[in-house]
Amino acid sequence: MRVSKWDTFHHIKVKQVHMYIVLILSMSVFCVPGKGGVGKSTTVTVLANILACQGFSVGVLDTDLCGPSLARMCGIKGNIHSNEQGWVPIRRTIGKGSLSMISLSHLVDNPDQAVIWRGPKKTSIIKQFLQDVCWGKLDYLFIDTPPGTSDEHMAIMECIPGVAAILVTSPQGVAVADVLRQVTFCRKTSAAILGIIETMSGFVCPNCSDCSLIFSKGGGEKLADHCKVPFLGSVPIDPKLCEDLDRGTLGEGSQEYSSYKEYCAIAKSLLHNTADIEMG
């Protein structure tokens, strides 16, 4: 995998980065979506965890300013501090690698308080997250974005011209239609599309482990075929995985879940798809 140069990203304080990834959910993951609630943050959390366990240095940036949930899901607590180089993300060791995170939830006194900001304020804080944070050496930087294609997404595009995207959708036709708009957005802004992930592709019974198709299946794969982009895989709803994420206890025990194994296969495809991409 080719390594991007420091000066490619202007003032972004990442010395070396293999790949910037914006998860665009279906409506949400450019996790860019149109719809919310399709599993954008779950996808970011699990993929980042898997890559860290494999020995990669992974950064996670939560730009969903009005609904920051990654800190809780990743089990990362604490306050962000600064030094002469800028803000320092909260870092924890996972397996053979590490996970570094910046989230607005680490900067507010009360994480349950609503964030009521207009576009310019959101753009300003996102640019600070990208330009004034000393990430150190990273292999991957995942950027979790809110639904839509608005100020947050354009701020990221301006700061990181070569950003790549993962599109996340649930199987239903309405969600797929919204993600199709995200494909258009990515192509208009010259963002590489690494692939599409289908979430909620069935429901895994916590008792017998059988999988029932409560939301149909195959919408994401059909969209990928229609748009001529890679299909990374599908993941069912798994109550056990959801419980681990709610508690922020994703770990070795989670690796036995069928949904986690599906994400492992997706991570493998992701590594393959990024191998020949050079950012910038």
Side-chain angles (χ1 to χ4, degrees):
M1 186 178 296
R2 302 168 188 169
V3 180
S4 303
K5 301 299 183 183
W6 154 246
D7 56 7
T8 301
F9 300 98
H10 309 292
H11 301 296
I12 298 175
K13 294 181 176 161
V14 180
K15 302 301 183 182
Q16 290 180 316
V17 173
H18 286 147
M19 181 61 58
Y20 285 96
I21 301 175
V22 174
L23 281 190
I24 297 176
L25 292 187
S26 128
M27 36 168 234
S28 179
V29 107
F30 214 23
C31 241
V32 167
K35 292 277 183 297
V38 298
K40 158 184 63 75
S41 297
T42 293
T43 298
V44 174
T45 301
V46 179
L47 288 179
N49 183 278
I50 290 171
L51 292 179
C53 286
Q54 294 181 6
F56 291 101
S57 180
V58 182
V60 175
L61 172 58
D62 192 349
T63 65
D64 191 347
L65 304 178
C66 295
S69 57
L70 287 183
R72 173 178 174 174
M73 298 173 77
C74 291
I76 295 181
K77 301 178 181 179
N79 296 317
I80 296 172
H81 67 277
S82 61
N83 57 24
E84 65 279 359
Q85 295 179 303
W87 288 345
V88 179
I90 300 175
R91 183 175 286 106
R92 61 178 290 194
T93 299
I94 298 180
K96 299 179 181 179
S98 64
L99 182 64
S100 303
M101 173 176 288
I102 286 286
S103 172
L104 188 64
S105 61
H106 294 136
L107 295 172
V108 296
D109 294 330
N110 181 3
D112 295 326
Q113 183 176 348
V115 175
I116 306 173
W117 287 349
R118 295 185 183 276
K121 179 67 173 179
K122 292 181 178 180
T123 298
S124 176
I125 191 67
I126 288 174
K127 288 185 176 181
Q128 280 188 277
F129 282 161
L130 290 170
Q131 297 174 349
D132 298 334
V133 173
C134 183
W135 288 98
K137 182 178 179 180
L138 294 179
D139 296 306
Y140 292 90
L141 175 61
F142 284 90
I143 306 174
D144 186 8
T145 69
T149 52
S150 190
D151 298 288
E152 294 91 340
H153 312 92
M154 295 311 301
I156 293 168
M157 295 298 181
E158 291 174 4
C159 290
I160 311 175
V163 71
I166 298 172
L167 305 173
V168 181
T169 183
S170 54
Q172 306 99 309
V174 173
V176 170
D178 280 330
V179 176
L180 178 58
R181 298 185 184 97
Q182 310 319 317
V183 173
T184 303
F185 173 83
C186 290
R187 289 175 173 168
K188 284 185 176 181
T189 56
S190 300
I193 299 176
L194 298 178
I196 293 175
I197 297 172
E198 179 178 297
T199 58
M200 302 184 184
S201 187
F203 172 82
V204 178
C205 176
N207 297 316
C208 66
S209 298
D210 283 347
C211 187
S212 303
L213 300 180
I214 58 176
F215 291 130
S216 74
K217 183 180 177 68
E221 188 169 9
K222 291 178 182 177
L223 177 63
D225 182 66
H226 173 75
C227 297
K228 308 301 181 186
V229 299
F231 180 66
L232 298 176
S234 57
V235 182
I237 300 172
D238 190 335
K240 293 181 179 179
L241 180 65
C242 293
E243 289 176 2
D244 285 357
L245 292 170
D246 278 343
R247 294 191 299 257
T249 57
L250 193 67
E252 292 184 4
S254 309
Q255 297 175 11
E256 299 303 317
Y257 306 153
S258 60
S259 55
Y260 190 95
K261 293 177 181 178
E262 294 292 343
Y263 274 119
C264 286
I266 290 172
K268 184 176 181 180
S269 298
L270 179 63
L271 291 174
H272 179 268
N273 290 359
T274 60
D276 297 323
I277 296 179
E278 181 175 10
M279 303 308 296

